Amino acid sequence: MTWQIILPDTVLINRANCIPKINKEEEKILKQILKELQEQNHVRANLSALRAAIKKDKKSVLQLQSFIREHEKLFLGFLEHEDAKTRKNAALLLGDISFQGACGALYHAYEKEQTRFVRSAYLEALEELDVRNLTGDFKKQLEKLQKEELTDENRKHTEEEIRVLRRILLQYEGMTKHTFDKKQEKNRLLLTVDKNQREAVRNRTGGKVHPLGVIVETDRLESVLLVRTYRELLFPVPVKALLDADPVKAASGVWEQMLALCRKYHSEPEPFYFRIECRSRQELEKRSVFTKRLAAELEKLSSGMLLNSTSYYEVELRLYADRTGRFFPALKFSSLQDHRFSYRKNTISASIHPSTAAQMMELCAPYLKEHALVLDPFCGVGTMLVERNQRVPALEMYGTDIFGVAVEGARENARLAGAVIQFIRRDFFEFEHDFLFDEIITNMPVRGKMTKEELNGLYEDFFRKAPKHLAESGVIIMYTQELGFVKKQLRLHRRFQLLMEHCMQEKSGFYLLVIGV
């Protein structure tokens, strides 16, 4: 931990390996800080330095709790300092160390505070304390702020104050839980999927191709929930036109339809807590300003029936920007649980998304043999094998991998999926077995830290080894980002025949290949 004490001659004092018990050197440092604070020298900077020390090393919290408790009157006095930023730093410091003894003083200072940008700092500090006895007061203050007319001068800080008040109340009162009604008729859905897989999803659902996936209109929502090949299920908001890039105009164009959709699928009353996910090419800062203003306008226009919360929410307003900067809006309800891949408890960084694995099996279904013997030489957590078995039941399935954590995770995933799969922690190139397999299905390792030469060698070894495990008329079903290496091996080994080639993701260059032997 590093203590930076602001002295008149800018002295820097460093201290490492902080422990809860204050030793002589640390006591000396704190005494120097105390002296500066008592003399009212560099108060704001020293309070800021104490906060910085806490952020660098959480163990310093115990030290400062003891230190501030001993000098409680001094630190609480800074809540009435003439400098607004000093009052803010003092409040936030007391919150940083969860100093419960400051609760009354912080609330009293909050009531008295006239400077807008400081008010939310008192609330942020109180958020870290036990303030359940003050919830009634916070409710009244929230109601008062919601009725206040917002101007360009007070908007930013008033909205921030409202946000913190709501977070505090949520801690003690919780959020009204909503139950999703799956039996509604006339459901209009957006199933998101990569553009190269839209046709497969459209054929499966009878929907219409959309720039973001497939639009499906159905009276049987539950049947769509069984489809495994889409990434997400969203509900398009039926707006008259794409939303304007101006947050006020956008809110005006979407809030009524958004609220109506929330009410349609939930019988419990308002409010509905939401967050906004904006997907556009805007710079992060501009996007953040836009979403904050839009959220505030949605709250205002809905009279609090729609409430913004980034921590507690059941509704996500998803905004997709087009080339003109306008937005297509859709809702994602967390109250509608997706159980399609609930077996997938364990993952690793290289794991394929289960919907992608399901898409692959749908596309290559004509080459899948019922009651086949199947091997995945780089099985990871077993997703490819589970999804293969979901599409066409196999007789026996084996998976090999050198990563022990992945193999253990694969075994648990398979149990949860109700699939009988033999997972073996072994290098595929050292794997031997008594019988041959009908299919080798695999997500090939990506380059990662491998050099081009090493990756080329891996593909050479794979195409030498794979035929030794394949029965007559067997197939290799491969997901790969290295089409060039595969084509090279197909030219070198005439025994292989490319039966199918499908680009799964153009941007990242992933392909699905079916290779006959």
Side-chain angles (χ1 to χ4, degrees):
M1 180 182 69
T2 301
W3 296 92
Q4 181 176 340
I5 306 172
I6 311 299
L7 301 174
D9 54 353
T10 319
V11 176
L12 296 182
I13 300 177
N14 298 302
R15 176 74 177 105
N17 302 320
C18 174
I19 57 175
K21 185 178 179 180
I22 300 177
N23 60 33
K24 290 184 179 180
E25 185 177 349
E26 290 161 344
E27 186 178 5
K28 181 180 178 181
I29 294 172
L30 291 176
K31 282 183 177 179
Q32 184 62 58
I33 292 177
L34 177 62
K35 182 173 181 291
E36 280 288 300
L37 293 175
Q38 286 174 328
E39 293 174 355
Q40 302 293 316
N41 290 329
H42 308 282
V43 176
R44 185 206 306 175
N46 273 308
L47 292 174
S48 181
L50 290 175
R51 294 196 67 219
I54 291 172
K55 289 179 181 178
K56 287 184 178 179
D57 190 344
K58 294 296 182 183
K59 290 183 290 186
S60 60
V61 170
L62 294 176
Q63 289 184 334
L64 287 174
Q65 281 178 336
S66 177
F67 178 62
I68 291 176
R69 193 176 291 113
E70 290 177 21
H71 306 284
E72 181 176 334
K73 186 175 180 181
L74 173 67
F75 282 90
L76 296 185
F78 292 138
L79 297 176
E80 299 181 3
H81 198 279
E82 61 182 11
D83 175 53
K85 290 185 178 179
T86 297
R87 298 195 298 274
K88 179 179 178 178
N89 281 353
L92 293 173
L93 174 63
L94 293 167
D96 289 340
I97 64 169
S98 302
F99 187 49
Q100 188 63 35
C103 183
L106 283 166
Y107 186 72
H108 179 66
Y110 168 65
E111 286 186 308
K112 287 174 53 180
E113 186 60 60
Q114 298 298 313
T115 306
R116 285 280 183 180
F117 76 86
V118 182
R119 290 179 62 82
S120 61
Y122 295 116
L123 293 174
E124 287 177 30
L126 288 164
E127 190 177 4
E128 303 302 320
L129 310 179
D130 184 348
V131 292
R132 68 190 69 213
N133 62 317
L134 293 173
T135 54
D137 299 293
F138 289 140
K139 280 184 182 179
K140 291 177 182 177
Q141 180 60 23
L142 180 59
E143 291 172 3
K144 178 182 175 182
L145 288 173
Q146 288 173 330
K147 295 175 182 178
E148 193 171 302
E149 183 179 352
L150 296 180
T151 65
D152 291 339
E153 289 73 25
N154 69 15
R155 180 183 301 278
K156 176 182 176 181
H157 301 302
T158 300
E159 289 176 352
E160 178 61 25
E161 195 175 339
I162 288 173
R163 278 194 290 271
V164 185
L165 281 168
R166 284 195 179 129
R167 288 204 306 264
I168 293 173
L169 291 171
L170 273 172
Q171 284 186 40
Y172 299 100
E173 298 184 346
M175 178 177 65
T176 301
K177 292 289 184 180
H178 292 89
T179 305
F180 193 93
D181 181 5
K182 298 178 185 177
K183 296 182 179 179
Q184 288 289 333
E185 297 179 348
K186 297 183 179 179
N187 304 286
R188 189 167 188 267
L189 316 172
L190 168 62
L191 308 181
T192 66
V193 66
D194 190 83
K195 67 178 183 179
N196 290 3
Q197 275 63 258
R198 290 174 197 159
E199 279 299 321
V201 176
R202 184 188 69 80
N203 292 337
R204 181 78 170 78
T205 60
K208 296 179 181 178
V209 172
H210 182 274
L212 297 172
V214 175
I215 292 288
V216 177
E217 296 185 6
T218 179
D219 290 334
R220 299 180 61 201
L221 174 59
E222 289 184 304
S223 65
V224 178
L225 296 175
L226 299 176
V227 177
R228 306 180 74 81
T229 49
Y230 63 84
R231 181 63 67 97
E232 290 184 293
L233 189 154
L234 306 178
F235 293 80
V237 184
V239 293
K240 295 178 180 178
L242 293 178
L243 302 184
D244 198 275
D246 175 80
V248 177
K249 293 179 180 178
S252 177
V254 76
W255 79 269
E256 288 181 294
Q257 297 89 335
M258 178 178 173
L259 182 58
L261 272 181
C262 292
R263 286 171 169 169
K264 174 180 178 178
Y265 289 104
H266 304 91
S267 58
E268 296 86 355
E270 302 85 1
F272 295 98
Y273 286 89
F274 72 93
R275 72 180 292 270
I276 299 174
E277 175 72 22
C278 181
R279 300 191 178 182
S280 74
R281 295 181 180 179
Q282 279 184 316
E283 295 175 2
L284 179 60
E285 186 176 349
K286 289 183 178 179
R287 195 160 67 240
S288 177
V289 171
F290 170 80
T291 55
K292 284 183 179 179
R293 184 68 187 277
L294 174 59
E297 287 296 323
L298 290 172
E299 290 182 346
K300 177 183 175 183
L301 291 171
S302 68
S303 301
M305 288 182 282
L306 296 171
L307 294 177
N308 181 231
S309 173
T310 56
S311 301
Y312 306 88
Y313 62 89
E314 290 180 305
V315 185
E316 183 177 291
L317 173 59
R318 191 77 63 80
L319 300 176
Y320 295 92
D322 70 358
R323 293 180 181 179
T324 68
R326 295 179 299 167
F327 296 97
F328 172 83
L331 300 185
K332 181 177 181 180
F333 294 113
S334 60
S335 54
L336 175 59
Q337 296 183 2
D338 185 352
H339 297 293
R340 295 176 301 160
F341 311 114
S342 57
Y343 69 86
R344 200 166 179 262
K345 181 179 178 181
N346 304 288
T347 62
I348 57 175
S349 59
S351 296
I352 190 171
H353 193 280
S355 69
T356 302
Q359 290 163 10
M360 290 173 56
M361 300 312 144
E362 186 69 30
L363 290 165
C364 67
Y367 301 95
L368 301 180
K369 180 181 176 182
E370 194 168 356
H371 306 306
L373 305 176
V374 185
L375 169 67
D376 185 345
F378 311 105
C379 67
V381 296
T383 307
M384 295 280 281
L385 289 171
V386 171
E387 291 304 320
R388 190 268 176 233
N389 195 54
Q390 287 282 347
R391 184 61 182 83
V392 179
L395 179 62
E396 289 193 47
M397 295 180 287
Y398 282 73
T400 67
D401 205 294
I402 61 173
F403 189 24
V405 173
V407 171
E408 287 302 315
R411 288 170 180 158
E412 184 176 15
N413 287 351
R415 283 197 299 270
L416 293 171
V420 179
I421 305 174
Q422 303 299 322
F423 290 105
I424 304 168
R425 184 181 179 184
R426 188 171 300 167
D427 190 327
F428 168 63
F429 302 111
E430 298 175 0
F431 174 71
E432 299 294 338
H433 205 269
D434 294 336
F435 56 75
L436 299 177
F437 294 89
D438 300 299
E439 301 164 14
I440 289 179
I441 291 180
T442 190
N443 173 17
M444 291 294 286
V446 294
R447 180 167 299 183
K449 295 182 179 180
M450 283 190 284
T451 64
K452 184 176 180 181
E453 291 73 21
E454 289 171 333
L455 197 60
N456 181 53
L458 182 143
Y459 276 84
E460 287 179 353
D461 292 342
F462 176 83
F463 278 93
R464 276 198 298 265
K465 175 75 169 172
K468 297 178 182 179
H469 293 285
L470 278 172
E472 187 177 350
S473 302
V475 295
I476 298 170
I477 296 171
M478 178 185 291
Y479 184 63
T480 178
Q481 200 178 18
E482 303 295 341
L483 185 62
F485 288 139
V486 177
K487 293 287 184 74
K488 176 182 176 181
Q489 294 304 314
L490 295 181
R491 289 193 300 270
L492 293 173
H493 301 280
R494 295 297 182 180
R495 74 182 82 176
F496 298 114
Q497 180 183 6
L498 184 60
L499 303 176
M500 175 182 157
E501 175 184 325
H502 180 81
C503 180
M504 296 290 290
Q505 298 176 13
E506 288 184 2
K507 189 174 182 180
S508 55
F510 276 101
Y511 279 79
L512 166 63
L513 305 175
V514 179
I515 301 166
V517 180

